[in-house]
Amino acid sequence: MCVLFVPTVLLLFPSSRELTMVNETQHTCSTSSSSKSDGGSSSGSESSKDSSRCSTPVLDADRHERLREKMRRRLDSGDRWFSLEFFPPRTANAAVNLISRFDRMAAGGPLFVDVTWHPAGDPASDKETSSMIIANTAVNYCGLETILHMTCCNQTKDDITANLQKAKRLGLKNIMALRGDPVGEEWEEEVDGFNYAVDLVKHIRNEFDDYFDVCVAGYPKGHPEAESYEADLRHLKEKVLAGADFIITQLFFRSETFLKFMKDCQAIGITCPIIPGIFPIQGYHSLRQLVKLSKLEVPQEIKDVIEPIKDNDAAIRNYGVELAVSMCRELLDSGMVHGLHFYTLNREVATTEVLKRLGMWNEDPRRPLPWAVSAHPKRRVEDVRPIFWASRPKSYIYRTQEWDDFPNGRWGNSSSPAFGELKDYYLFYLKSKSPREELLKMWGEELTGEESVFEVFTCYITGEPNKNGHKVTCMPWNDDPLATETNLLKEQLEKVNRRGILTINSQPNINGKPSTDPIVGWGPSGGYVFQKAYLEFFTSSEIVTALLKVLKKYELRVNYHIVNVKGQNITNAPDLQPNAVTWGIFPGREIIQPTVVDPVSFLSWKDEAFALWIEQWAKLYEEESPSRMIIQYIHDNYYLVNLVDNDFPLENCLWQVVDDTFELLNSPTQK
Amino acid sequence: MCVLFVPTVLLLFPSSRELTMVNETQHTCSTSSSSKSDGGSSSGSESSKDSSRCSTPVLDADRHERLREKMRRRLDSGDRWFSLEFFPPRTANAAVNLISRFDRMAAGGPLFVDVTWHPAGDPASDKETSSMIIANTAVNYCGLETILHMTCCNQTKDDITANLQKAKRLGLKNIMALRGDPVGEEWEEEVDGFNYAVDLVKHIRNEFDDYFDVCVAGYPKGHPEAESYEADLRHLKEKVLAGADFIITQLFFRSETFLKFMKDCQAIGITCPIIPGIFPIQGYHSLRQLVKLSKLEVPQEIKDVIEPIKDNDAAIRNYGVELAVSMCRELLDSGMVHGLHFYTLNREVATTEVLKRLGMWNEDPRRPLPWAVSAHPKRRVEDVRPIFWASRPKSYIYRTQEWDDFPNGRWGNSSSPAFGELKDYYLFYLKSKSPREELLKMWGEELTGEESVFEVFTCYITGEPNKNGHKVTCMPWNDDPLATETNLLKEQLEKVNRRGILTINSQPNINGKPSTDPIVGWGPSGGYVFQKAYLEFFTSSEIVTALLKVLKKYELRVNYHIVNVKGQNITNAPDLQPNAVTWGIFPGREIIQPTVVDPVSFLSWKDEAFALWIEQWAKLYEEESPSRMIIQYIHDNYYLVNLVDNDFPLENCLWQVVDDTFELLNSPTQK
């Protein structure tokens, strides 16, 4: 298992100190040279003998920076940014939806998201809905820089330490340190206990040194329980002096409120970033609820507008957007504000709209790599993955979460990755997003034979409704509709699926398109991206027999792996070597090869790919039902095949391979 | 190493049965499908804990096999091979010549070379001419599989062990175990001493287990000191039983002699490979000398031919070639012989001729990588190097000999390699091959100014004689004439050198040529190779000033590093990141990127590149002489510049950069 060889690294490269030094140098440089995201740094000296040569891909400076550094860099460069606050959902289904929302909102380019801490909701547990697990999902599976809220009152030191340790283990690097609401009306300070957020800040710094970036809350109108506005400012300063890195404020209704607060903070020597918390009003009830909790007063001019339209949700939301946009504009125009923090209430529309109107929604987020990157600090070097999980990146991240190091630059022959077991398969974020009824409509209430399965695959490819008029928008192996890139192959894919080549993954060959290409591009601009044509499908043993004969003709050009559920494995791949199928060449960088066809991982993927037939499809039907038996038959008898056309500069020959196969099957001698 | 991960697979994968199956299938495949040189090898077992994901490039299975495995694979496949024997030279100059000969003869594709042990010549010392150091050079610097001879009589156990340890440390993996000639006429066996080769074989196996491949000598006519032919065969069998892996025979004059010997060996149960030692007669005196030493008798029919022509060296050599060719044909035709071992007497012509006539000289050796590969076992994974040492691979190998690991796949940000000091610079194999007088003729007996230096560079590029009628066939930075690839740029290079852009390294951009391309190809067939255009040169600070202005226009396209001898360093390279400038895409493999422009190594190369001005050129002249002062001036004031055009699919823009620079220099406003 991968874990095994970390000590090797440690043994071989004891001089991690120098590595840090280089990092720091870079940091200084990039800070001072400001707006460029990869400003040059020429200094740095190291004893080289011991440094690992294989540890630093760096497609994106951001991946190596702490949150406070990212913030600082944007402050220096004047780049504007935003962040999004979510609370943990109540049900597992709501969690699935929230995660989809993370993915969609990640597209806009938030600097970070934060997840609130609900003491009543078992926040540190492993429940699907706990604060801890939602934050874990955001950072690891959605690749989002994440702040986890944490409260301290009414908790023991040991519990708090354990929670922080757990957060650290999960890859969380940022904590919002809060007091939390005392239980009961009468609250008394505990001696040596955690009575205020400042106690938690101190504890974090004492126990975890500089590991976490720590955020604290600021109250533009003063904390409702503070003796005075001034006293509250002094408490805030104490929190900063105790080690907080930046401040996020409570919501407010007028830009003057925040700007005054900011000046007052500066006046008493608070120099860290202060980020205004923006609350786009989204409805009458949510506003009332929030106001009640925060003990804030809604200005009369707002009340005047809202009261008359309180039953018209759309009207209130439109007004809320309008209000938020103009307030944000005032904040940004002041020159004192670069980042905006949004209280989303777990909703998308209003916040997205505000950001779009402000021009801060990133419409064209560049993919750093052609798959979902995890934001876990230990995965920062990761830049190669097997292509098999292209449509199931969360499953890949999940199954490799125990790895102690991640491939960087080269997958390597000896990687022999231990993938997590399928027993954990039912965790909510690996399930289909769609409910059973919807899946049945898409995949068929009743199957009549293998052909009805072919039809489901075909409908998924074409986007046409099935015979009952339902569009097939997802498959067990693809939770989303066809990728734009795959659309390039649509016509061919349709043809082969109709005939029982049940495709689950494919990519066209690409011979040096610009890295900015809207469909196949990825990575920094100025580069060129390449791909070998790839086709992965399930098919019957009859077709496999013919295919193998045909493949002899293509022996030098096409690499194949053909495996059934029992693990019978036929391949012409040299040794156990991976085949790079996606790579990019960039100015001033080493080659990046983000996806490979790795013979060893394919056998792990095989287990997952076959299991999906049963777990996601067969189990929709009654046991012993004909529909279930059809899927079971396919599961037991079909082969999973992948083909790579190595001659990427020529026309993709894989369609010809398939055509030849059918021709052979239809030839009289064959019959 | 391939062997490393077999157990990993076993440990990690419950379903390892399939994997093993894959291995075996392939192995069987490649063995039976014979002649291909990169068939798999599935045996070997090692603890996997220490295997890292970054340790297996494997461009060539040969690089990972032991000599006996290579031999066995060729035996199984029926591929013919040859090997070459050399003796250590007497003088340092002769050593330089021998190393050039290694390089030239390596082109023919010997399976190995061996270096004899001269007890009188301090063979284990660090002298330039010792057996140990010559073998070290062959394996490390010339990339040749090498057998070091070693004798044992009249030596202590401790000395022998120390010698073997030294050989191991230097990367030697094969020992030819010999008794050696006893000193003095009367020789007595020492009790518990090393009296026979078999004692040495046993000692190697006792002390070094299976680390070395061990070869022993066979005597087709019986050892001259043996009691009888039969007794000698029994001694040979003892040596094999003691652990010898194969046998090389003493020379002989008739194929029957060897074939009978081989059958006799087999008859008494010797089953290891037996390789005939071939001695092409090259001259009357060398024949007499050898015959005297080996106590062999030259057959009358050969004497009859040679005696009459004994003063005509060419005639004797022609006859020797003829004789050797026909004897080798008989051996090969017998079906019992697949490999031929040549006693070269450190000469090239006769052996090369015999091999060419036999069709065994490999006229088209494929480069596994576009630079000289070392055969040291610990460098097996190496597949990336900075481009700077492209023309000085031995210097690179020398300066990195202390490295504990070598870059594989990715050079990495943190590599910061510690290159060996220049103090060791004067080792013979880093010196120019040409004597001082010749260098003066090429580079000028007397320099009159910087322009006369420009002319030397220009003549080297054009291949035209200089004004004194001498061709410039080498430069301090290039020991050989212009590479074929560089020839593609000849016209442009000539133009810029005339004007003071003194080029020392360059490559054209290549956008996907077949890996079999005779000029720019490398690696396995069926692949595509790529390059970014590269230009490296010395030039004056005046030109650098203009160049820097011009480079602003090319900021996004061209990466540059500009440094002077004091280390002033100007670059636009992002962070400390290396830029891949040569890479290849191959069927069923990961991307290989053999050369990079690495900002950190460039500063080590800078020291070497500037030092060469002084050490190789300035020092040809008297101190204080004008010629020396001109070179010293250039050394002190010029800059070393490298430029990479990142847009490899477009026309190389570096010439335009240089043109623009001169245009700027000549523009009236500039003046």
Side-chain angles (χ1 to χ4, degrees), chain A residues 1-2 46 48 51-53 56 383 409-414 416-417 528 532 567 575-576 586 590-591 593 647, chain B residues 5 12-13 18 26 52-53 56 383 407 409-414 416-418 528 532 580 586 590-591 593 647:
Chain A
M1 195 155 83
C2 294
E46 267 188 63
S48 56
S51 69
S52 156
R53 203 159 265 110
T56 42
D383 68 3
R410 180 177 291 266
W411 182 262
N413 231 344
S414 50
S416 307
Y528 294 91
K532 291 180 180 176
D575 308 325
L576 287 172
F586 300 96
E590 296 195 74
I591 314 292
Q593 51 157 31
D647 258 334
Chain B
F5 57 89
L12 294 177
F13 284 87
E18 297 99 342
Q26 274 180 240
S52 114
R53 196 168 269 100
T56 43
D383 68 4
R410 180 179 289 267
W411 182 263
N413 230 343
S414 50
S416 309
Y528 295 90
K532 291 180 181 176
F586 301 96
E590 297 195 74
I591 315 292
Q593 51 157 29
D647 257 334

Side-chain angles (χ1 to χ4, degrees), chain A residues 225-331:
Chain A
E225 291 168 23
E227 313 90 271
S228 68
Y229 176 75
E230 290 70 27
D232 194 50
L233 279 183
R234 284 195 302 275
H235 291 317
L236 181 58
K237 187 169 181 185
E238 275 169 35
K239 293 195 279 190
V240 174
L241 289 175
D245 296 298
F246 52 94
I247 296 162
I248 295 179
T249 76
Q250 178 58 287
L251 64 93
F252 51 89
F253 295 100
R254 292 183 183 127
S255 58
E256 310 86 87
T257 310
F258 176 82
L259 295 172
K260 174 181 181 297
F261 171 71
M262 195 160 176
K263 280 174 203 147
D264 293 337
C265 286
Q266 287 169 347
I268 65 160
I270 296 174
T271 55
C272 71
I274 305 175
I275 304 139
I278 310 296
F279 174 67
I281 297 170
Q282 307 199 45
Y284 185 74
H285 294 289
S286 61
L287 176 63
R288 271 177 59 124
Q289 177 76 2
L290 206 84
V291 163
K292 190 179 144 200
L293 281 173
S294 60
K295 295 176 180 148
L296 288 175
E297 197 156 320
V298 180
Q300 194 56 45
E301 70 267 24
I302 296 181
K303 282 186 191 160
D304 289 348
V305 178
I306 284 184
E307 285 296 336
I309 55 171
K310 66 179 175 186
D311 297 321
N312 184 341
D313 282 355
I316 291 190
R317 198 171 59 210
N318 286 344
Y319 170 69
V321 166
E322 208 60 58
L323 204 64
V325 167
S326 67
M327 190 173 79
C328 291
R329 285 223 175 97
E330 286 164 22
L331 291 170

Side-chain angles (χ1 to χ4, degrees), chain A residues 85-102 114-138 148 344-347 428-429:
Chain A
E85 182 162 316
F86 300 92
F87 55 80
R90 300 215 177 152
T91 65
N93 270 347
V96 172
N97 290 337
L98 181 58
I99 294 160
S100 302
R101 187 162 298 124
F102 283 168
D114 60 335
V115 177
T116 61
W117 189 257
H118 278 208
D122 206 355
S125 75
D126 287 334
K127 284 187 196 157
E128 298 158 345
T129 54
S130 78
S131 299
M132 190 71 87
I133 293 302
I134 293 295
N136 166 55
T137 303
L148 176 62
T344 68
L345 303 185
N346 285 16
R347 295 187 203 155
F428 67 103
Y429 39 77

Side-chain angles (χ1 to χ4, degrees), chain B residues 19 29 44 157 178 182 205 280 297 300 311 337 355 409 422 425 435 475 583 621:
Chain B
L19 289 179
C29 253
K157 196 171 179 170
L178 299 164
R205 287 294 173 237
E297 199 157 317
Q300 193 58 44
D311 297 320
V337 171
L355 285 164
L422 285 172
Y425 200 67
M475 292 294 282
W583 63 100
Y621 309 108

